[in-house]
Amino acid sequence: MTLTNKQRKLLAVCPKITGGLSLIGSILTIREISKDPSKRSKPQFRILVGMGICDVFTSFAFLISTWAIPKDSDNSFARGTDLTCNVQGFLLQFAVA
């Protein structure tokens, strides 16, 4: 079964939306904890900030999703190079590790 062009575009746009929302949420979480001195001193909030920082990298990788794929590929919205593809792969593997 092959995907239609509309389905391919939808699959290319969805990670950008969810990655953008996750990026905003992670940044707001880090900012909220960083502003409050009582939260900064508690270990559970420091762990949460660390998780948020890792999520910022991952969310950014999902946000750029198909933009990082080399231009000569057959993917919708592909605008990148081999370097951008490798950077995105690094960011996604960073999240898994």
Side-chain angles (χ1 to χ4, degrees), residues 13-61:
V13 169
C14 283
K16 293 175 187 357
I17 295 169
T18 56
L21 291 173
S22 180
L23 183 65
I24 291 168
S26 296
I27 290 171
L28 290 175
T29 301
I30 293 167
R31 193 184 102 196
E32 195 64 33
I33 293 171
S34 298
K35 285 177 17 180
D36 188 353
S38 66
K39 289 181 180 177
R40 283 191 309 236
S41 64
K42 295 181 181 175
Q44 64 264 30
F45 289 112
R46 285 192 225 155
I47 291 170
L48 192 58
V49 167
M51 291 171 60
I53 291 169
C54 290
D55 191 56
V56 164
F57 292 121
T58 308
S59 299
F60 180 72

Side-chain angles (χ1 to χ4, degrees), residues 8 66-85:
R8 284 179 179 219
T66 55
W67 292 328
I69 298 172
K71 292 179 204 175
D72 55 351
S73 68
D74 189 29
N75 288 334
S76 298
F77 306 115
R79 302 284 182 265
T81 63
D82 287 337
L83 177 64
T84 58
C85 189

